[in-house]
Amino acid sequence: MRVVLMVVFDGFQLLDLAGPSDVFSGAALACGDDGYRVELASVPAGAVRSSCGVEVQAPHDLSEWREPVDTLLVVGGWSAWAASSDPGLVAGLRTAAACAERVGSVCSGTFLLARAGLLNGRRATTHWFGGELLASEFPEVKVEPDRIYVQDGTVWTSAGVTAGIDLALAIVAADYGPGVAREVARWMVVYLHRPGGQSQFSAPMAAAPPKRNSLRELQVWLEENLAGDLSLAGLAGQVGMSTRHFSRVFADETGTTPARYVEQVRITAARRLLETTDQPLDRVAAAVGLGCPETLYRIFHRHLGIAPGEYRARFTKF
């Protein structure tokens, strides 16, 4: 039985606690007598109010915790920055971390780990909103701001909110194998696997949302027709504009050029196919409109610094 000690504070985000906790409890069901036991701690022990108003009972005072744990996991929330200035909470984290085989955080909980000195010299991520602040306040932390989760040795950190579920599933896969993690994901009805190296944003999310309905409809059409004519002329014709007018309007409303946007959408689609299928590279390249494996290879190296085959080997776990 692996003990997971979850740490909360006033104003924590409820899903940061509930999502990973449900993953671990699901794994406990899948493993029978083995699995995980989730414990809850705060400073001091007692009722802790989340940012949405729901209160939870933390029966353990983190500052008094001395028992060995498999995983110490700090949740996040808007008040994490303020909580990281609580000397009792930070000291409790240091003490509990000395008893843990693995230390981690969800969302802005990364700030508490950083304040406790547990991320010095480590790679880490956090919610996209706090990436720059984390890097500026803690220059000794190697911040990777656009990752879903990062594992650096025995330290695991994740991006915001639902990324905590991805982090917990990855921990389950590391502890009990991908089969158990797959069962838990199916039970929770969540996306089967998002690897930690995946961006926090798809291309449409990274771009500014266009105001024009015609451009929003074009974005949907584009993702459904990746192997079609996505040239500047083809896209402009789809919305009934001249190429010059379309280029100006698209850049003004999304903050990027049509060509860059199309390439990002195609890369995202190719990554998804590499992560979730065993299709050969020529079929992946054709499916996303890149034509041949050589083009796929060049684009992956330019944007990700890695070959498509290596990407598949690294990120396909299920």
Side-chain angles (χ1 to χ4, degrees), residues 117-124 140-143 150 152-155:
L118 300 174
L119 298 182
N120 291 349
R122 301 275 191 175
R123 294 181 299 110
E140 63 275 20
V141 180
K142 302 172 185 177
V143 180
V150 171
D152 188 337
T154 58
V155 177

Side-chain angles (χ1 to χ4, degrees), residues 176-255:
Y176 295 106
V180 175
R182 186 186 301 116
E183 273 307 301
V184 175
R186 289 177 59 194
W187 173 69
M188 294 183 68
V189 197
V190 297
Y191 189 83
L192 188 58
H193 176 229
R194 293 194 300 173
Q198 195 175 90
S199 171
Q200 292 186 33
F201 297 107
S202 64
M205 289 177 66
K211 297 177 182 178
R212 299 181 186 223
N213 187 55
S214 59
L215 293 186
R216 293 196 299 271
E217 291 177 350
L218 177 66
Q219 288 178 321
V220 175
W221 176 86
L222 189 155
E223 294 204 36
E224 295 174 347
N225 295 272
L226 289 176
D229 179 13
L230 302 186
S231 65
L232 180 61
L235 295 176
Q238 190 68 26
V239 294
M241 297 181 187
S242 69
T243 54
R244 177 177 295 181
H245 182 55
F246 171 71
S247 293
R248 180 180 61 77
V249 169
F250 191 92
D252 286 346
E253 296 208 13
T254 66

Side-chain angles (χ1 to χ4, degrees), residues 9 24 29 60 62 83 97 122 125 202 213 216 225 255:
F9 46 84
F24 294 128
L29 291 174
H60 303 290
L62 184 66
R122 301 275 191 175
T125 192
S202 64
N213 187 55
R216 293 196 299 271
N225 295 272

Side-chain angles (χ1 to χ4, degrees), residues 50-85:
S50 69
S51 58
C52 68
V54 175
E55 285 190 350
V56 299
Q57 287 290 330
H60 303 290
D61 189 323
L62 184 66
S63 62
E64 298 176 356
W65 186 275
R66 298 295 184 274
E67 299 176 24
V69 297
D70 178 76
T71 303
L72 172 68
L73 196 60
V74 186
V75 305
W78 286 107
S79 61
W81 289 270
S84 68
S85 299

Side-chain angles (χ1 to χ4, degrees), residues 14-311:
L14 187 60
L15 189 55
D16 287 0
L17 170 67
S21 294
D22 273 348
V23 170
F24 294 128
S25 64
L29 291 174
C31 294
D33 293 336
D34 297 320
Y36 300 91
R37 186 179 84 247
V38 177
E39 300 287 352
L40 199 57
S42 63
V43 177
V48 184
R49 190 177 182 84
S50 69
S51 58
C52 68
V54 175
E55 285 190 350
V56 299
Q57 287 290 330
H60 303 290
D61 189 323
L62 184 66
S63 62
E64 298 176 356
W65 186 275
R66 298 295 184 274
E67 299 176 24
V69 297
D70 178 76
T71 303
L72 172 68
L73 196 60
V74 186
V75 305
W78 286 107
S79 61
W81 289 270
S84 68
S85 299
D86 181 343
L89 181 57
V90 172
L93 281 175
R94 292 195 189 102
T95 301
C99 303
E101 295 182 15
R102 176 193 292 132
V103 175
S105 63
V106 179
C107 191
S108 52
T110 308
F111 281 82
L112 283 98
L113 294 186
R115 186 70 69 188
L118 300 174
L119 298 182
N120 291 349
R122 301 275 191 175
R123 294 181 299 110
T125 192
T126 189
H127 190 288
W128 61 266
F129 185 80
E132 291 186 6
L133 180 60
L134 182 67
S136 64
E137 287 201 358
F138 303 99
E140 63 275 20
V141 180
K142 302 172 185 177
V143 180
E144 298 187 2
D146 194 33
R147 301 285 76 103
I148 289 181
Y149 64 83
V150 171
Q151 178 192 0
D152 188 337
T154 58
V155 177
W156 300 58
T157 54
S158 83
V161 198
T162 59
I165 295 175
D166 297 288
L167 177 72
L169 285 170
I171 289 174
V172 170
D175 289 343
Y176 295 106
V180 175
R182 186 186 301 116
E183 273 307 301
V184 175
R186 289 177 59 194
W187 173 69
M188 294 183 68
V189 197
V190 297
Y191 189 83
L192 188 58
H193 176 229
R194 293 194 300 173
Q198 195 175 90
S199 171
Q200 292 186 33
F201 297 107
S202 64
M205 289 177 66
K211 297 177 182 178
R212 299 181 186 223
N213 187 55
S214 59
L215 293 186
R216 293 196 299 271
E217 291 177 350
L218 177 66
Q219 288 178 321
V220 175
W221 176 86
L222 189 155
E223 294 204 36
E224 295 174 347
N225 295 272
L226 289 176
D229 179 13
L230 302 186
S231 65
L232 180 61
L235 295 176
Q238 190 68 26
V239 294
M241 297 181 187
S242 69
T243 54
R244 177 177 295 181
H245 182 55
F246 171 71
S247 293
R248 180 180 61 77
V249 169
F250 191 92
D252 286 346
E253 296 208 13
T254 66
T256 189
T257 67
R260 289 196 188 100
Y261 184 85
V262 168
E263 188 161 276
Q264 285 296 333
V265 172
R266 281 176 163 157
I267 290 171
T268 299
R271 290 170 70 170
R272 185 164 56 246
L273 288 174
L274 291 171
E275 293 160 11
T276 61
T277 76
D278 59 356
Q279 291 184 20
L281 295 185
D282 58 344
R283 289 182 59 186
V284 171
V288 301
L290 292 175
C292 62
E294 289 75 20
T295 304
L296 183 69
Y297 184 91
R298 286 198 301 272
I299 288 179
F300 262 62
H301 260 286
R302 182 164 69 247
H303 288 270
L304 304 174
I306 189 174
E310 187 180 351
Y311 180 91

